[in-house]
Amino acid sequence: QLQLVESGGGLVQPGGSLRLSCAASGFTLDNYAIGWFRQAPGKDREGVSFISSSDVTTFYADSVKGRFAISRDSAKKTVYLQMNSLKPEDTAVYYCAAVIQVRPKLVSRDNEYNYWGQGTQVTVSS
């Protein structure tokens, strides 16, 4: 059974920080490309940040560039999304997703991922 579980969400003031975790079980995480997506009520799901297998390359959406950082701890089978300088428009349910990958590259389309977590709520409000 292959599973991804997000954690670390919560309520934070504008300008604050949160670190989201995506813990994997049942497979070797380093062999997978990982994506972080978010979805606000009434809006489409959007890609936030992506990392290739073996951590060769990363990508950030313009809206979060310079504020968010994606990283992987292969030994702990966990991918992190560090979120700094949070804004109210960052409020959403955040999901992590994974797809097996032999040749490292970024995967930005949600329909290319075949493993998904259940999501964690992030609310940025004063």
Side-chain angles (χ1 to χ4, degrees):
Q1 186 174 349
L2 307 177
Q3 291 184 309
L4 299 172
V5 179
E6 302 96 334
S7 63
L11 176 64
V12 64
Q13 295 183 19
S17 298
L18 286 172
R19 188 180 73 163
L20 305 184
S21 298
C22 176
S25 63
F27 55 89
T28 302
L29 186 63
D30 195 54
N31 296 335
Y32 289 76
I34 304 295
W36 281 99
F37 297 82
R38 67 186 182 187
Q39 188 167 29
K43 296 185 178 181
D44 293 335
R45 184 166 57 199
E46 63 176 345
V48 176
S49 183
F50 311 104
I51 187 167
S52 73
S53 64
S54 302
D55 300 348
V56 172
T57 187
T58 58
F59 172 86
Y60 300 93
D62 288 343
S63 59
V64 307
K65 196 174 300 181
R67 300 188 296 119
F68 290 12
I70 190 170
S71 62
R72 184 193 323 241
D73 187 331
S74 296
K76 295 182 179 179
K77 293 187 175 182
T78 302
V79 173
Y80 303 98
L81 185 68
Q82 178 67 47
M83 306 187 297
N84 300 322
S85 302
L86 284 162
K87 304 175 181 179
E89 51 263 45
D90 295 319
T91 296
V93 177
Y94 284 71
Y95 301 89
C96 66
V99 60
I100 195 166
Q101 187 171 82
V102 176
R103 285 182 275 272
K105 70 172 185 177
L106 296 172
V107 179
S108 60
R109 296 180 61 175
D110 54 5
N111 61 6
E112 295 187 37
Y113 289 93
N114 53 6
Y115 303 105
W116 288 83
Q118 298 301 307
T120 185
Q121 176 71 49
V122 172
T123 302
V124 185
S125 177
S126 59

